[in-house]
Amino acid sequence: MGMFDSLYVELDGREQEIQTKRFDCDLAGYHLGDWIAGSLPGVRVYFDRLWLDDTGKQVYNADAGCVRKTTVFVVLVQGVFVDYQIHEGELAAEAIEPVLRELRERWSDSARLQEFLVETLRIQQQRIASCKHQLGRVQSIIRGARSLKAGESLGGKLGLLHEEDRKLAAGEDPLDVIAWVLSDEGARGWFLGNDTHIDPLEEYRL
């Protein structure tokens, strides 16, 4: 197929890849909320076929074990991937055109677009802040490992404050500790990693 880009959608809890040569074709992968390089301005709606085998895995030939055929619609507004719909079956042209028209009308609503972009920005800021926090913990592990190598103790007068310090002090490999910090288990209970600590009324407090 040569160079292409990929848009990712979710179907039955599984991420599915839609390949396209419409944009810059630099092997980039795009999810909802991403700006797509090489896209055109305005509200743009595209469609493609998605064929699956009996395990839900994508196939690229109708004769290669295909048991489920779907039609996928993708919406871009000002180059941002804002929405998608998946319809069962290979829709005919007379069925595709009304969906294209409905999605164009739906996403021509500036208030809807603004709400989507603001929410996307909020989520991306949280992800960036979480990544920065994790990098800070990795740097702390590196400093701790160097201190131990130099024969120094960890924690100072306050003792071992964090689980990664305790792991290092117990003799665990620093690379294993870093991998743990970057895992879901290591992030749980830290910073943005635990939703149970989020106050539902926080946005209304001064």
Side-chain angles (χ1 to χ4, degrees):
M1 184 177 180
M3 296 287 282
F4 56 88
D5 292 317
S6 298
L7 278 68
Y8 291 93
V9 301
E10 184 177 311
L11 176 60
D12 297 337
R14 181 196 293 260
E15 188 175 69
Q16 300 286 356
E17 177 188 24
I18 307 296
Q19 295 181 355
T20 176
K21 290 190 173 185
R22 179 168 290 276
F23 309 114
D24 275 0
C25 296
D26 56 6
L27 298 180
Y30 299 105
H31 296 79
L32 279 178
D34 290 339
W35 179 80
I36 297 179
S39 56
L40 296 173
V43 180
R44 307 281 173 170
V45 186
Y46 306 98
F47 74 94
D48 199 2
R49 318 292 188 187
L50 180 62
W51 296 340
L52 306 173
D53 64 15
D54 56 1
T55 68
K57 184 179 178 181
Q58 186 173 0
V59 295
Y60 298 94
N61 188 315
D63 299 324
C66 174
V67 299
R68 183 180 182 186
K69 297 180 180 181
T70 65
T71 304
V72 182
F73 295 84
V74 171
V75 185
L76 276 61
V77 183
Q78 306 303 340
V80 179
F81 181 16
V82 299
D83 196 9
Y84 65 85
Q85 286 185 5
I86 300 177
H87 295 246
E88 291 296 331
E90 289 194 52
L91 301 187
E94 57 270 21
I96 289 174
E97 290 177 356
V99 179
L100 296 175
R101 184 167 55 252
E102 187 273 331
L103 287 171
R104 278 195 299 266
E105 293 174 356
R106 174 181 175 84
W107 284 99
S108 294
D109 181 347
S110 59
R112 183 187 305 279
L113 175 61
Q114 182 180 37
E115 181 180 0
F116 175 87
L117 294 177
V118 170
E119 177 63 11
T120 298
L121 177 61
R122 183 188 67 81
I123 292 172
Q124 294 292 2
Q125 285 179 329
Q126 286 187 338
R127 288 174 178 168
I128 291 170
S130 180
C131 286
K132 287 181 177 179
H133 182 70
Q134 284 186 312
L135 287 174
R137 294 177 70 189
V138 169
Q139 290 175 329
S140 177
I141 292 170
I142 293 172
R143 289 192 298 268
R146 287 174 175 170
S147 295
L148 289 174
K149 187 175 181 180
E152 302 171 1
S153 61
L154 298 180
K157 295 180 179 179
L158 296 177
L160 301 180
L161 299 179
H162 306 303
E163 182 63 23
E164 53 262 36
D165 294 329
R166 286 189 282 272
K167 288 177 177 290
L168 286 176
E172 292 193 30
D173 188 311
L175 289 178
D176 290 337
V177 180
I178 289 174
W180 174 80
V181 162
L182 296 177
S183 70
D184 290 340
E185 180 186 358
R188 192 173 299 122
W190 272 87
F191 200 50
L192 301 174
N194 193 334
D195 289 340
T196 61
H197 294 154
I198 295 177
D199 181 355
L201 298 178
E202 179 61 30
E203 65 177 297
Y204 304 106
R205 300 182 188 277
L206 287 176

